Amino acid sequence: MNFIAGVFKPPCSVLISLADGRTRKQVPIKKDNGQTVMLPLFQSQETIIGEVLVEPTQGKKFEHNGIKIELLGQIELFFDRGNFYDFTSLVRELDVPGELYERKTYPFEFSTVEMPHESYNGVNVRLRYILKVTIGRNYVPNMVEYQEFVVRNYTPPPPINNSIKMEVGIEDCLHIEFEYNTSKYHLKDAILGKIYFLLVRIKIKNMELEIRRRESTGSGSNTYVETETLAKFELMDGAPVRGESIPIRLFLSPYELTPTYRNINNKFSVKYFLNLVLVDEEDRRYFKQQEITVYRLLED
């Protein structure tokens, strides 16, 4: 039994560490198993420096076919789970084929890396960045070690941010106008606006504002759309009267939003909508939906 265990024991240990690993900001990321892990945070055009430590098991030498490290940006669609589409791929050769007798450290550097897309873990798609070390072996599978990291990219405030004005009406029964002050919001922003009741001939019981996220993945017959309601905010409880106006003030920071992602590498999109819902006394629902743009503003 000990002999069998020895056969399958890895011939060495591999540790990937970042040069600024202790000082770089870490962010919590929820994994598939529900556990939350802390991962280092980067943004596009940063330089990633670190080292790979390889140590033979119990001081025994082992042969290898070369050692390399890759920086990969990958998209995985869950209907095609296990197949990763690489949109960023950089490689550094760390060692030529040979033998290792003792612990060895290999420095690496990826300079001003273009990382155009943010890390994203959605319902049907995942976008991730990893450092991947591969140790080539003869006659047995290669040894592979991963270190995941997170990318977030920041956008300056838009120079033009128009208000949204819309009307909702049911002929001779209901006519309301609603206005949101802006159409583009950063992740810590507040949605401000007003609702005007111009005609009310049905008995409205309550009114709420929803934030919805729509994730579209794939294309053609393999298109999957998932809509999640992330927030429900009650604007009014009780019947409004003609001429009444209801203020809107909804803060976004309590909710787990991402920026709007439009057609990321022809693989997926993430869009956000404000959904205004009115419910009458017979529980009939009237709603009006409007797309908004969400962006990530550089935090202090």
Side-chain angles (χ1 to χ4, degrees):
M1 190 68 182
N2 287 340
F3 170 74
I4 294 174
V7 169
F8 291 104
K9 196 170 185 181
C12 66
S13 61
V14 180
L15 178 66
I16 306 169
S17 61
L18 297 169
D20 56 358
R22 295 192 176 187
T23 56
R24 178 167 290 275
K25 183 177 180 180
Q26 308 266 319
V27 293
I29 298 295
K30 189 174 285 188
K31 307 298 284 183
D32 291 344
N33 58 12
Q35 291 184 330
T36 299
V37 296
M38 301 298 292
L39 296 177
L41 176 63
F42 290 86
Q43 60 180 303
S44 188
Q45 302 298 329
E46 280 202 79
T47 293
I48 300 177
I49 301 172
E51 59 184 30
V52 177
L53 176 67
V54 181
E55 184 170 9
T57 303
Q58 297 174 340
K60 295 179 180 177
K61 77 165 186 176
F62 78 97
E63 295 182 4
H64 63 83
N65 273 347
I67 304 173
K68 67 179 179 180
I69 184 168
E70 298 167 274
L71 189 156
L72 301 173
Q74 302 180 317
I75 296 173
E76 180 188 29
L77 300 171
F78 290 168
F79 63 77
D80 193 20
R81 190 182 285 272
N83 287 327
F84 290 95
Y85 169 78
D86 294 346
F87 59 86
T88 293
S89 179
L90 303 170
V91 62
R92 300 286 183 268
E93 300 293 340
L94 300 180
D95 206 350
V96 296
E99 296 179 339
L100 268 187
Y101 298 90
E102 57 188 2
R103 175 194 301 194
K104 192 168 181 180
T105 301
Y106 301 94
F108 67 86
E109 178 175 333
F110 295 97
S111 300
T112 54
V113 184
E114 183 76 32
M115 296 179 283
H117 310 309
E118 289 202 353
S119 302
Y120 176 71
N121 205 357
V123 178
N124 284 323
V125 61
R126 173 170 59 153
L127 189 152
R128 68 172 186 173
Y129 289 88
I130 58 170
L131 293 167
K132 176 185 176 183
V133 172
T134 303
I135 300 178
R137 306 291 315 283
N138 279 326
Y139 312 116
V140 291
N142 292 340
M143 284 191 63
V144 179
E145 185 70 30
Y146 299 95
Q147 166 69 56
E148 189 172 350
F149 61 94
V150 174
V151 171
R152 289 179 180 169
N153 293 321
Y154 304 95
T155 305
I160 299 174
N161 198 347
N162 296 323
S163 62
I164 300 172
K165 294 182 179 180
M166 298 188 74
E167 295 186 5
V168 179
I170 302 168
E171 191 172 353
D172 296 330
C173 295
L174 178 71
H175 185 190
I176 66 173
E177 291 180 351
F178 62 90
E179 179 178 353
Y180 304 118
N181 289 5
T182 56
S183 55
K184 299 173 183 176
Y185 300 89
H186 62 78
L187 296 172
K188 302 294 173 66
D189 219 334
I191 295 169
L192 303 175
K194 277 189 176 180
I195 297 170
Y196 304 94
F197 290 88
L198 305 177
L199 176 66
V200 185
R201 287 183 179 158
I202 56 177
K203 292 184 177 179
I204 302 285
K205 185 168 65 173
N206 70 307
M207 179 169 60
E208 59 190 22
L209 184 65
E210 299 175 339
I211 302 174
R212 291 185 171 185
R213 174 163 57 213
R214 183 184 299 164
E215 176 190 284
S216 305
T217 55
S219 59
S221 60
N222 275 339
T223 300
Y224 297 84
V225 178
E226 289 282 348
T227 300
E228 301 173 85
T229 299
L230 304 178
K232 281 188 178 184
F233 182 71
E234 189 170 75
L235 297 173
M236 182 193 71
D237 187 12
V241 295
R242 180 179 176 179
E244 191 171 1
S245 71
I246 306 290
I248 299 172
R249 182 184 293 266
L250 174 57
F251 292 94
L252 298 181
S253 54
Y255 308 109
E256 293 187 10
L257 307 184
T258 69
T260 297
Y261 302 134
R262 300 191 189 279
N263 199 21
I264 302 299
N265 269 86
N266 294 321
K267 298 292 182 184
F268 73 96
S269 298
V270 178
K271 298 180 179 180
Y272 289 89
F273 298 85
L274 295 178
N275 193 38
L276 184 66
V277 183
L278 292 89
V279 183
D280 69 14
E281 289 191 336
E282 297 177 18
D283 283 330
R284 289 177 297 201
R285 296 166 69 84
Y286 311 92
F287 56 88
K288 191 76 171 181
Q289 191 163 268
Q290 175 65 38
E291 184 178 358
I292 59 172
T293 299
V294 182
Y295 63 96
R296 189 183 302 280
L297 193 64
L298 182 60
E299 300 171 15
D300 295 333

